Amino acid sequence: RGTVLVEVRELSKHYGGVAAVESVSLAFEAGAVVALAGDNGAGKSTLVKMICGAVAPSSGEIRIDGAAVHFRSAADAREQGIEMVYQDLALCPDLTAAENMYLGREPTQWRIGGLGVIDRKPLIRGAEEHFAQLSSSPPSRVPVRRLSGGQRQVVAISRAAFWARRLVIFDEPTAALGVAQRDRTLELIRQVAEQGLAVIVISHSVEDIFKVADRITVMRQGKVVADASTTELNEGRFRSHMGGSE
């Protein structure tokens, strides 16, 4: 831990005269989980959309390994090793867990006229090996629609960790889960960080934040109003920065 993999400097996004994000500077380190908190409209989603290439900043810069980068799309961010796990998981229900792991990046056996045939053996083997690395074993050959909510979460998290080289962003990862599934998801997020990746978790759950995060960044009206380790920022101080609400 300690190596800064992704950094934002004076990052801003304006929509007309409205500042959705205003001069935010943050660093995301290998092996560390940062919880991004704030009420709806605080700027959390806009900030991560800029980091993952979905929204272009109005000003400021994103730096990867110390060098400024300019993302024109989410594909540009993925090429730099930044992955996002969306709240709806963004899985294809009729494809298997293994196929979802490689969606859009399938290994091909041969090509004719620029077309490839999917090589299923390394696809299944690679998926099962990575599930095992995260101590999880969802059925790799079963359509995702037949999996439980917790198993689908495992597939989405595993896919992001498999392809990420620097940063994984989680958007409300426990919002629709029961207690046991929520605890398991938080364990998986810690395991992703332990692989040497930087992690951002957007969450409204105070309990989850203090369970999983090393650092908490609180946003309000587009600005960072608190950024401290979980040992420095107790629940009382956290709630005061949040304006007394979750």
Side-chain angles (χ1 to χ4, degrees), residues 18-29:
V18 177
V21 173
E22 186 66 52
S23 299
V24 169
S25 296
L26 295 167
F28 304 101
E29 301 176 355

Side-chain angles (χ1 to χ4, degrees), residues 29-158:
E29 301 176 355
V33 178
V34 175
L36 194 57
D39 290 332
N40 292 333
K44 308 182 303 295
S45 294
T46 302
L47 176 61
V48 298
K49 284 177 181 176
M50 288 190 283
I51 294 171
C52 71
V55 168
S58 300
S59 61
E61 62 183 17
I62 299 167
R63 300 179 74 86
I64 302 289
D65 295 341
V69 294
H70 301 280
F71 297 147
R72 292 166 295 179
S73 67
D76 286 351
R78 288 195 297 269
E79 286 178 9
Q80 292 291 337
I82 296 172
E83 294 285 336
M84 184 158 181
V85 180
Y86 295 91
Q87 190 171 349
D88 66 2
L89 304 183
L91 299 173
C92 291
D94 292 327
L95 296 182
T96 67
E99 289 167 339
N100 269 280
M101 281 281 288
Y102 281 88
L103 191 62
R105 295 152 159 163
E106 296 86 352
T108 51
Q109 199 165 22
W110 47 268
R111 294 178 180 274
I112 295 177
L115 297 176
V117 174
I118 295 174
D119 194 347
R120 303 191 65 78
K121 286 183 179 178
L123 182 148
I124 292 170
R125 184 173 63 248
E128 289 180 345
E129 286 176 356
H130 196 70
F131 289 147
Q133 284 180 20
L134 290 178
S135 305
S136 301
S137 300
S140 61
R141 308 184 195 205
V142 173
V144 160
R145 59 183 161 76
R146 289 170 51 189
L147 301 182
S148 69
Q151 288 174 322
R152 293 178 192 183
Q153 195 86 357
V154 167
V155 174
I157 292 172
S158 296

